[in-house]
Amino acid sequence: MCSWETARRFHSVGVTAILLRMGTETEGPTLTVDELAAHAGVTVRTVRFYSAKGLLPPPVIGPRRVGHYGPEHLARLALIEELQRQGMTLAAIERHLQQLPADLSARDLAIHRAVVASWAPDAVETMTRAELERRVGRPLGEEDLERLAAMKVAVPHDGAYRVDPGLLRLGVQLLDVPLGEETILAARGVLIEHSRAAARELSRLLREAVSERDSTAVKSLSAHMHPLVIEALLTTFQRSLKEELRAWLPDARPGQGSEGARPGHGSS
């Protein structure tokens, strides 16, 4: 369990650095279709297929008629892949995307994907190093692999890696965050500690509310509440972090994108 000093360090350094990075998404469409596919861990053919289906917005056409893609394209592509992993058909994915506001930022889409990913049951996949690199769309050095293992994202096992698909994209993104491994692991400990505490309290409230109902009704309500609770936690956590950032850096802008936007609902 993390000490209060560790928690304080995480709040004042780790969270703020990550939030600043997330809150300054000013990067324009700079990726070619090959680079987009590599970053997303898919093939160029897949990108073009999704584009032809209208699942991805068209690229920005630059000099020499070369299309360029930005963070929103990458985030939307990650969401599409996650929806497919959930077993949704392309027609269902198209309907799902049509219900989302057109002006969602890359951060909003990433939060929405996190909600969707929470619906999936816990699972561990075994991959070779080559398969892992293909999945993440980039080469992984020895230091990268050590950090992923420390975060329990990809743990070496019998010459391969046991990978947590729900944490893989997040873990790879953290490789590029300018924070030491000690800070990231402290952050992980704080998040696990407090999320488990929140889960226990919410479960207790739910049990008390449905104690006299039959088991079938309870299971149905639990399945219905699961994504709603995840969305509420993400929204509350995002707002709390923004308040901490404004308190620490009063002259900083509150961040781009919607204030406390809920996944899939755009700006308020």
Side-chain angles (χ1 to χ4, degrees):
M1 182 176 293
C2 295
S3 65
W4 285 112
E5 175 63 16
T6 300
R8 185 194 65 78
R9 288 177 57 204
F10 170 62
H11 246 309
S12 61
V13 181
V15 165
T16 305
I18 295 173
L19 240 189
L20 282 170
R21 192 169 185 267
M22 290 177 63
T24 53
E25 287 178 347
T26 55
E27 180 185 354
T30 59
L31 300 174
T32 64
V33 66
D34 297 274
E35 292 168 336
L36 175 67
H39 278 72
V42 300
T43 65
V44 171
R45 182 178 179 182
T46 296
V47 173
R48 289 178 172 153
F49 176 76
Y50 290 155
S51 297
K53 290 287 186 181
L55 302 180
L56 282 179
V60 174
I61 304 301
R64 301 181 182 178
R65 303 292 299 170
V66 175
H68 289 90
Y69 301 81
E72 289 79 11
H73 292 91
L74 185 58
R76 187 170 287 263
L77 187 54
L79 175 57
I80 293 169
E81 289 290 295
E82 184 61 50
L83 291 170
Q84 279 206 312
R85 278 193 287 272
Q86 298 286 340
M88 292 180 65
T89 65
L90 288 178
I93 292 174
E94 183 176 5
R95 290 193 298 271
H96 184 90
L97 295 178
Q98 287 173 347
Q99 295 173 0
L100 301 180
D103 59 349
L104 286 184
S105 68
R107 181 173 57 185
D108 293 329
L109 288 167
I111 293 174
H112 186 79
R113 177 188 170 275
V115 173
V116 171
S118 73
W119 302 342
D122 294 336
V124 175
E125 297 181 27
T126 300
M127 305 180 191
T128 65
R129 180 170 179 170
E131 290 170 337
L132 179 58
E133 290 179 334
R134 280 198 297 272
R135 174 71 69 86
V136 302
R138 58 183 277 182
L140 297 170
E142 294 302 324
E143 184 178 349
D144 295 332
L145 292 169
E146 289 176 4
R147 294 188 73 178
L148 291 176
M151 291 186 284
K152 303 295 190 293
V153 174
V155 180
H157 180 74
D158 290 341
Y161 293 87
R162 291 177 58 81
V163 178
D164 184 333
L167 293 178
L168 182 56
R169 187 175 296 273
L170 172 62
V172 172
Q173 289 175 335
L174 285 173
L175 294 178
D176 298 323
V177 174
L179 293 173
E181 183 177 310
E182 180 183 354
T183 301
I184 292 176
L185 292 180
R188 179 180 182 273
V190 170
L191 289 172
I192 289 175
E193 176 186 352
H194 292 285
S195 62
R196 284 177 177 169
R200 282 193 298 269
E201 286 301 306
L202 290 170
S203 295
R204 181 183 61 80
L205 291 172
L206 182 60
R207 284 197 303 271
E208 292 176 355
V210 299
S211 58
E212 297 182 0
R213 301 188 187 184
D214 62 73
S215 59
T216 302
V218 172
K219 288 180 181 179
S220 177
L221 178 61
S222 176
H224 179 71
M225 289 296 296
H226 186 187
L228 298 180
V229 170
I230 296 296
E231 182 176 340
L233 286 171
L234 285 169
T235 302
T236 304
F237 191 51
Q238 184 184 30
R239 288 177 176 175
S240 298
L241 287 178
K242 285 183 177 181
E243 290 172 5
E244 290 291 326
L245 177 60
R246 283 196 293 265
W248 185 54
L249 297 174
D251 296 331
R253 290 187 301 169
Q256 300 181 7
S258 56
E259 174 64 24
R262 290 186 298 145
H265 293 271
S267 302
S268 56

